[in-house]
């Protein structure tokens, strides 16, 4: 059950505890390079061709912690070698801890992970900030763009709510059209309240799914695409205390994979595209071994649906899975060291040949070559230093 009685809640710095100081902040902001007419990097955008030359990379950070950045990190990467070259910082966006790009590639969106949470739009052609809108909650930690390109979806971690904002033709954001706070079920073991950690569209965009770590629940909503309002249609519950964090879908659209942060597991889920109903399966290993506390963060699936990768914070590794039975099964292949400390987020390049890991405590972005045939990961070289790197978005 959810309610639209939005609450700012009580801001907690728990999410920042234990972050080590990153590299020295980059403060120079050079004039932007000539805009790329067709940025790549996700559904609805051009796939980068071999030999394209340098591609844009944006890095999210925290600006309000010791050793943090001063805004969104600006860089480029070589799609062949994976080498990252820094080019400055886009200032004026506070605590941009998660980033997403519009399907047309022209606008970048960032959460402002603060007590008075916001979402900010940036026009990429000239790096002009188009404005910030309130999320109606505290500590937004995730956002995504609806496949139609008309709606921005954000998750307020601290207040346990999800928000919808309209996107106009210029990429700018309008006033919030809905805010839903998770009130049922009750918080799971060790949790003081709901903690929405992700809000995204399901395959086809008909339904939206909100992953809430605090209530051990994935909520499914139907989006009114004329009004931008939400109607809850179902709930899927993990085992108590699992702490679900991040959900990703198999390209076939009938299975999804859920990373549970608190109990250090992953789960294969069945998904019904017609109803939006998610059915959560049995937990399985993240590959983290030894005397270490591990917090799985983000899952990726390759475009061909053959392999999946998981970021392990604590174990500081990337788990590799073979995807079998048309998406219905994950088979753990092993882990590789991530080459940094506390990988909070991972992303594939548009062509799927590179994997980027944002390592929060070491303040680095590490890059791996992806073997499409065997699902193997090979380091692309020395890490790229970026203060408190918590999100890396390659276009």
């Amino acid at each position: 059950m959810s309610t639209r009685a939005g609450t700012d809640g009580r801001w907690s710095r728990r999410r920042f505890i234990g972050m080590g100081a990153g590299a020295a902040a980059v403060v120079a902001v050079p004039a932007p390079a000539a805009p790329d007419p067709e940025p790549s990097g996700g559904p609805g955008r051009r796939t980068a061709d071999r030999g394209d030359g340098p591609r844009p990379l944006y890095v999210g950070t925290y600006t309000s912690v010791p050793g943090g950045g001063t805004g969104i990190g600006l860089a480029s990467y070589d799609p062949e070698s994976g080498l990252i070259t820094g080019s400055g910082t886009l200032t004026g966006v506070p605590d941009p801890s998660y980033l997403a790009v519009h399907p047309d590639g022209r606008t970048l969106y960032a959460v402002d992970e603060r007590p008075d949470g916001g979402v900010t739009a940036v026009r990429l052609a000239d790096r002009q900030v188009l404005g910030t809108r309130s999320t109606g909650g505290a500590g937004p930690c995730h956002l995504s763009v609806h496949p139609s390109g008309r709606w921005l979806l954000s998750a307020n971690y601290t207040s346990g709510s999800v928000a919808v904002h309209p996107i106009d033709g210029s990429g700018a954001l309008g006033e919030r059209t809905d805010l839903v706070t998770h009130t049922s079920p009750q918080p799971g073991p060790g949790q003081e309240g709901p903690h929405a950690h992700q809000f995204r569209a399901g395959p086809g965009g008909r339904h939206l799914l909100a992953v809430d770590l605090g209530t051990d629940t994935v909520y499914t909503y139907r989006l009114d695409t004329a009004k931008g309002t939400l109607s809850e249609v179902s709930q899927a519950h993990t085992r108590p205390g699992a702490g679900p964090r991040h959900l990703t879908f198999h390209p076939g659209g009938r299975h999804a994979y859920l990373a549970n942060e608190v109990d250090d597991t992953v789960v294969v889920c069945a998904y019904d595209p017609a109803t939006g109903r998610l059915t959560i399966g049995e937990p399985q290993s993240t590959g983290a071994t030894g005397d270490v506390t591990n917090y799985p963060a983000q899952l990726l699936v390759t475009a061909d649906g053959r392999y999946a990768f998981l970021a392990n914070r604590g174990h500081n590794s990337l788990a590799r899975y073979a995807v079998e039975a048309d998406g219905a099964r994950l088979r753990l292949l092993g882990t590789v060291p991530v080459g940094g400390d506390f990988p909070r987020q991972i992303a594939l390049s548009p062509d799927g040949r590179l994997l980027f890991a944002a390592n929060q405590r070491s303040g680095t972005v590490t890059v791996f070559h992806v073997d499409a045939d065997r699902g193997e990961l090979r380091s692309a070289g020395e890490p790229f230093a970026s203060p408190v790197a918590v999100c890396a978005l390659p276009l």
Side-chain angles (χ1 to χ4, degrees):
M1 181 178 179
S2 52
T3 176
R4 283 176 174 75
T7 175
D8 288 337
R10 185 175 180 181
W11 177 247
S12 169
R13 304 298 289 180
R14 185 183 67 82
R15 295 175 56 75
F16 298 153
I17 290 173
M19 293 194 305
V26 179
V27 297
V29 184
D36 184 336
E38 294 184 50
S40 58
R45 287 173 281 139
R46 178 179 62 84
T47 299
D49 301 319
R50 289 181 180 270
D52 256 350
R55 302 292 306 163
L57 175 72
Y58 298 93
V59 184
T61 184
Y62 288 113
T63 60
S64 61
V65 299
T70 57
I72 298 172
L74 305 175
S76 62
Y77 69 95
D78 185 309
E80 295 293 336
S81 68
L83 177 67
I84 299 175
T85 302
S87 58
T89 304
L90 175 66
T91 59
V93 185
D95 290 318
S97 66
Y98 202 89
L99 310 172
V101 71
H102 193 280
D104 67 14
R106 295 184 174 90
T107 310
L108 180 73
Y109 300 99
V111 296
D112 305 346
E113 192 171 338
R114 293 200 160 191
D116 52 344
V119 281
T120 297
V122 178
R123 186 169 58 215
L124 290 180
D126 56 4
R127 295 178 185 156
Q128 176 68 39
V129 175
L130 300 178
T132 298
R133 299 287 185 176
S134 169
T135 62
C141 65
H142 182 272
L143 82 174
S144 62
V145 183
H146 189 268
S148 68
R150 295 179 53 206
W151 308 100
L152 186 73
L153 316 172
S154 58
N156 292 308
Y157 178 86
T158 306
S159 48
S161 58
V162 293
V164 181
H165 288 82
I167 300 173
D168 69 20
S170 72
L173 299 170
E175 290 289 351
R176 189 177 64 247
T177 55
D178 210 351
L179 176 69
V180 177
T181 300
H182 300 150
T183 59
S184 176
Q186 292 298 305
Q191 302 296 324
E192 76 280 9
H195 291 307
H197 218 305
Q198 184 191 26
F199 194 27
R200 58 154 301 162
R206 182 179 180 184
H207 296 97
L208 310 180
L209 294 98
V211 180
D212 196 299
L213 182 150
T215 62
D216 293 323
T217 301
V218 180
Y219 302 82
T220 297
Y221 297 96
R222 184 175 293 109
L223 174 68
D224 185 321
T225 55
K227 299 178 180 178
T229 54
L230 302 171
S231 302
E232 184 180 311
V233 296
S234 64
Q235 296 181 5
H237 304 291
T238 66
R239 65 181 182 180
R245 176 186 177 96
H246 185 265
L247 182 78
T248 192
F249 283 89
H250 184 269
R254 294 192 172 276
H255 296 91
Y257 312 109
L258 183 64
N260 293 320
E261 174 178 337
V262 179
D263 75 354
D264 187 21
T265 62
V266 294
V267 176
V268 178
C269 307
Y271 181 71
D272 183 348
T275 65
R277 183 174 295 277
L278 192 75
T279 302
I280 295 176
E282 293 300 313
Q284 59 187 86
S285 174
T286 62
T289 58
D291 186 20
V292 63
T293 301
N294 187 59
Y295 304 96
Q298 185 158 355
L299 277 159
L300 297 177
V301 181
T302 57
D304 60 10
R306 295 176 60 193
Y307 297 100
F309 305 105
L310 171 70
N312 281 319
R313 299 171 300 164
H315 192 248
N316 291 339
S317 66
L318 299 172
R320 301 166 45 244
Y321 297 89
V323 181
E324 300 174 337
D326 294 326
R329 185 168 62 241
L330 290 180
R331 177 168 57 88
L332 180 65
L333 299 174
T335 63
V336 297
V338 74
D341 190 357
F342 225 63
R344 186 170 189 248
Q345 178 264 355
I346 54 177
L348 290 168
S349 61
D351 60 12
R353 293 188 294 143
L354 295 172
L355 184 150
F356 296 76
N359 303 298
Q360 180 174 351
R361 292 181 178 170
S362 57
T364 57
V365 177
T366 46
V367 187
F368 295 82
H369 295 282
V370 181
D371 186 314
D373 293 326
R374 296 185 294 273
E376 295 177 348
L377 298 174
R378 176 174 56 87
S379 173
E382 289 298 313
F384 172 71
S386 186
V388 190
V390 290
C391 184
L393 179 63
L395 303 187

